[in-house]
Amino acid sequence: MSVKSRNLYLIPYAAWIVLFVVAPIALIVYYSLFDIEGNFTFSNYSDFFTPVYMRMTLSSFWYAFLITAFSLLIAYPAAYLLTRTKHKQLWLLLIILPSWINLLLKAYAFLGLFGTYGIVNAALDTLGIGRQQILFTDFSFVFVSVYIFIPFMILPVFNALEKMNPSLIDASRDLGASAWTTFQRVVFPLTVNGVKAGCQAVFIPALSLFMITRLIAGNRVITLGTAIEQHFLVTQDWGMGATIAVFLVVIMALIMVLTGNRRKREVSR
Amino acid sequence: MAAARSSRKWKWSHLYLIAVFVVLYAPIFFLMLYSFNSGGAMHDFEGFTLEWYKEVFADTRLFIIVLNTLVIALLSSALSTILGVLGALAIQHVRRRRTQNMLLALNNVLIVSPDVIIGASFLILFTIIGIKLGFVSVLLAHIAFSVPIVVIMVLPKLEEMSSTWIDAARDLGASRTDVLTKVILPYIRPGIFAGFFMALTYSLDDFAVTFFVTGNGYSTLAVEIYSRARQGISLSINALSTLIFLFTIILVIGYYFINQRGNRPPGMEVQR
C-alpha cells in the first residue's frame, strides 16, 4: 500500500526529470558530436581549441571576472553599511526591488542614458569633455552588467554579515586590532561564504547572459552565452553551439565545486 | 569623542548607501520620466504627454502579447505547482537517503543552469519530439523550469511537519486521500502559495528560455521588448516599462504579504 502510493507521487515527477532534465543534457552532448551537415565528428571539440574560440572564451572570462570584481567592491561596503542601519529589512527590500524588474528594461534604460544625445553625454559636454561614444563599448557593457548584478551580490553578503556575532568585532578592537586588521582577519573570513555565494551568483550569469551584450555592447563583446545564441538561432550550427554549451556546463560545475556547493539559484534573469 | 567620531562615520556611511540607491534607481526613474516626454526621444524633455500610453493601449498586437504572457504565466505556474507539490511529496516519501539526494540534485539542475543552456537544450528537445515552436513549446518550457522552484519552496514545509500528525490521522481512521487533502495539503499551503508565486514571477520575467523556443509568430512580452529595444528607442517602450514596473511592485507586495502570512518565510533563500 505504502509502496504503491509512493510510486504514484513519483510517476509525474520522474517523468518531468527524465524529459526536461536528463534528456536535454543528453541531447546537448549528443548534438555536440555532429557537424552542421549532420555527420558524426569530433571536429566541434577540436574547433573549440582553435585561437578564435579560445580568445572568445578568455575574453568572456575576463569580462565575467571584471564584472564580479566590481560588483563585489561596490556591494561589500554597501552590505556592511546596510547591516548598520536602523530599518535594515526595509533598506534591504529597497535594494532588492530593482532586481525584480526585468533586466531588459534596465538595459533599455541605459540605451537612453548612454546614447549620443543621452543625459550622460550632455553632462560630459557641459563639463567641457565633449561627447563620447559610450554605448557599444566594453565600458558600457561592464557598467550595465555590474548595475544589474549588484543586488545579487549584496544579498548573500548581507546575510553572511547578519549571521556574524557583532561582539567579535568589539573583541578584536578591544584587543588592539585596527579597523583594517579587524576587517581582514575577523570580518572577511567570517563572511567568505557569502562572498563566494555572491560571486557564484554573478560570475555564471556574466558568462552566459547574451541580451546585455546584444543590447549594450553591440557585437563588440562576445561571451560564451552570446556565442551559443548565435550558433543556435543565427548560423543554425547547432553542433558548435552545443559544444560551447557543454564547455559552459563543465566550467559552471567547476565553479560550483570551487566555491562550495550551494543548491540555491541566485540569478540569471 | 567616541560618540562624535561614530556620528561622523554614520554620515559617510549614509552617503555611500544613498549613492548606491541613487545609481540603482536613477535609470528606472529616468525611464519612467521619459515615458511622459512629448519630444519622442530619451533626451531633451519637451513637455508632458500621455501619447505613449495611448499608443500602448491602442496597440492590439501588444495587447495580444500581454494576454499571451499572462496566460502562459498563469497556466505554467498552476501546472508546475501541481507537479512540484507531487515532486516534493515524492522526494519526502523516498526512504533511502541516497535516492533522496539524487532526486534533489536532479531537481536543482535546472535551477543552477544558465538560461541559454536551458533554452538551447529545450529547442533541441522540442525539435526532436516534433513539437511545433509556439504556444505549446513556450508553455512546456515554462512549466519545466518552474517545477524545481516549487519543489524547493514546498519541501521545507513538508520536512517541518511532524509525522505524528499523519499517524494520528491514520489511527483515527482517515483514508490516504483524507490524510493528503485534510492534513498534509493544508499544512504546506504557505509553501504551495509561495511556490506558485515564485513560478509566476519567473515565468513573467523569463526572456532567454522563451526567446529560444518561441519560434515565429508567437511572442511574449519580454521577447517583444527585446526585439523592439534592438530596433532602438521608442517611448512606447518607456510607457510599457512604467506599467510593468507598477505591476511588479504590486506583485512584490503580494509576495511579501504571502510570506508574512506563513509563520516562517519559506522563500527567503530563493527570493531575489
Side-chain angles (χ1 to χ4, degrees):
Chain A
M1 181 75 191
S2 137
V3 171
K4 203 175 140 210
S5 77
R6 179 207 306 167
N7 284 347
L8 282 182
Y9 292 139
L10 206 50
I11 290 166
Y13 185 60
W16 169 79
I17 287 185
V18 170
L19 197 56
F20 291 110
V21 181
V22 179
I25 300 173
L27 283 172
I28 285 275
V29 176
Y30 178 76
Y31 263 76
S32 71
L33 298 172
F34 289 89
D35 65 11
I36 196 161
E37 272 106 33
N39 305 313
F40 180 84
T41 171
F42 286 104
S43 66
N44 290 327
Y45 284 89
S46 53
D47 282 351
F48 188 81
F49 289 101
T50 55
V52 181
Y53 283 100
M54 278 293 112
R55 203 177 304 133
M56 186 200 75
T57 311
L58 283 179
S59 82
S60 185
F61 261 90
W62 173 239
Y63 283 117
F65 169 77
L66 280 181
I67 292 164
T68 314
F70 282 121
S71 304
L72 182 64
L73 272 177
I74 296 165
Y76 200 103
Y80 180 76
L81 295 173
L82 271 179
T83 59
R84 294 305 183 84
T85 52
K86 251 183 225 151
H87 307 282
K88 48 187 163 192
Q89 288 305 328
L90 180 71
W91 284 88
L92 187 67
L93 177 65
L94 285 173
I95 285 268
I96 295 166
L97 191 64
S99 70
W100 287 70
I101 296 161
N102 198 307
L103 65 86
L104 290 173
L105 296 181
K106 289 184 276 187
Y108 172 75
F110 280 98
L111 288 181
L113 281 166
F114 283 170
T116 319
Y117 300 101
I119 201 161
V120 175
N121 261 326
L124 287 178
D125 210 19
T126 43
L127 285 173
I129 300 169
R131 295 186 189 279
Q132 307 280 327
Q133 174 68 40
I134 308 176
L135 217 53
F136 311 127
T137 60
D138 310 1
F139 164 79
S140 62
F141 171 61
V142 173
F143 187 93
V144 174
S145 305
V146 170
Y147 168 81
I148 284 168
F149 290 131
I150 275 180
F152 304 120
M153 186 64 97
I154 290 185
L155 189 60
V157 175
F158 176 87
N159 287 338
L161 282 164
E162 277 286 278
K163 272 187 210 142
M164 192 181 68
N165 186 346
S167 57
L168 289 171
I169 298 175
D170 296 336
S172 159
R173 297 307 298 270
D174 287 348
L175 292 168
S178 68
W180 173 244
T181 315
T182 306
F183 171 75
Q184 212 185 347
R185 308 289 283 273
V186 181
V187 181
F188 191 76
L190 282 171
T191 53
V192 78
N193 277 332
V195 172
K196 277 181 182 173
C199 289
Q200 202 177 313
V202 173
F203 195 84
I204 295 170
L207 276 181
S208 61
L209 281 182
F210 64 88
M211 43 283 204
I212 307 177
T213 51
R214 286 272 189 254
L215 287 175
I216 296 294
N219 288 330
R220 270 191 57 94
V221 178
I222 299 198
T223 62
L224 291 175
T226 323
I228 295 174
E229 187 251 3
Q230 176 99 7
H231 281 303
F232 269 93
L233 299 178
V234 184
T235 59
Q236 300 285 327
D237 185 357
W238 287 14
M240 195 63 223
T243 309
I244 303 170
V246 168
F247 278 100
L248 185 55
V249 169
V250 171
I251 292 163
M252 196 189 80
L254 278 177
I255 294 168
M256 303 277 273
V257 172
L258 283 177
T259 55
N261 211 355
R262 265 173 56 96
R263 54 175 214 186
K264 290 148 236 156
R265 159 212 236 121
E266 233 63 51
V267 188
S268 69
R269 296 131 205 266
Chain B
M1 196 190 120
R5 193 191 293 157
S6 87
S7 83
R8 214 173 73 215
K9 251 190 209 160
W10 208 227
K11 273 181 204 155
W12 277 110
S13 70
H14 272 207
L15 201 67
Y16 184 81
L17 269 186
I18 287 164
V20 170
F21 273 96
V22 168
V23 172
L24 276 182
Y25 279 91
I28 298 163
F29 285 114
F30 172 79
L31 198 65
M32 288 162 79
L33 175 70
Y34 275 86
S35 71
F36 300 106
N37 180 17
S38 60
M42 260 213 268
H43 53 84
D44 304 326
F45 198 94
E46 283 173 15
F48 179 87
T49 178
L50 287 176
E51 189 189 332
W52 311 112
Y53 289 88
K54 275 189 207 131
E55 196 179 301
V56 166
F57 285 111
D59 191 339
T60 34
R61 188 170 164 272
L62 192 63
F63 182 71
I64 292 169
I65 289 171
V66 170
L67 272 184
N68 283 343
T69 312
L70 289 176
V71 167
I72 290 278
L74 288 170
L75 261 181
S76 72
S77 41
L79 291 171
S80 59
T81 305
I82 296 171
L83 261 173
V85 170
L86 288 175
L89 286 168
I91 292 177
Q92 171 81 354
H93 274 241
V94 167
R95 291 280 146 75
R96 281 176 58 206
R97 194 82 208 151
R98 263 184 54 202
T99 324
Q100 219 175 41
N101 284 340
M102 196 193 73
L103 282 175
L104 265 178
L106 284 170
N107 184 63
N108 294 333
V109 166
L110 285 186
I111 296 186
V112 294
S113 299
D115 288 358
V116 205
I117 290 181
I118 301 179
S121 61
F122 283 4
L123 175 63
I124 299 180
L125 180 76
F126 293 142
T127 314
I128 283 204
I129 304 178
I131 291 173
K132 208 172 142 276
L133 297 184
F135 174 76
V136 180
S137 63
V138 174
L139 180 67
L140 283 175
H142 280 224
I143 294 173
F145 72 63
S146 303
V147 167
I149 299 156
V150 177
V151 171
I152 290 250
M153 300 296 237
V154 172
L155 206 55
K157 277 272 152 204
L158 266 180
E159 276 163 1
E160 179 189 302
M161 193 173 120
S162 163
S163 63
T164 51
W165 288 37
I166 297 167
D167 295 340
R170 296 286 292 160
D171 287 348
L172 292 169
S175 71
R176 212 150 258 287
T177 337
D178 281 339
V179 171
L180 182 67
T181 56
K182 294 193 175 139
V183 181
I184 300 178
L185 288 182
Y187 187 85
I188 61 172
R189 196 187 299 154
I192 297 177
F193 274 131
F196 176 81
F197 216 84
M198 281 312 279
L200 197 69
T201 51
Y202 270 66
S203 169
L204 286 174
D205 200 45
D206 178 70
F207 162 70
V209 178
T210 316
F211 188 63
F212 272 88
V213 296
T214 188
N216 288 327
Y218 188 81
S219 185
T220 64
L221 201 49
V223 175
E224 177 69 13
I225 289 171
Y226 177 74
S227 52
R228 286 190 185 194
R230 285 212 75 180
Q231 285 159 17
I233 286 159
S234 134
L235 290 189
S236 56
I237 305 181
N238 293 49
L240 190 59
S241 312
T242 309
L243 296 171
I244 294 173
F245 181 69
L246 294 176
F247 184 69
T248 310
I249 289 183
I250 294 170
L251 272 188
V252 173
I253 293 169
Y255 178 69
Y256 273 83
F257 182 66
I258 288 172
N259 253 357
Q260 293 288 305
R261 284 209 320 186
N263 37 7
R264 213 182 296 163
M268 278 321 251
E269 290 103 318
V270 188
Q271 79 162 333
R272 304 162 305 153

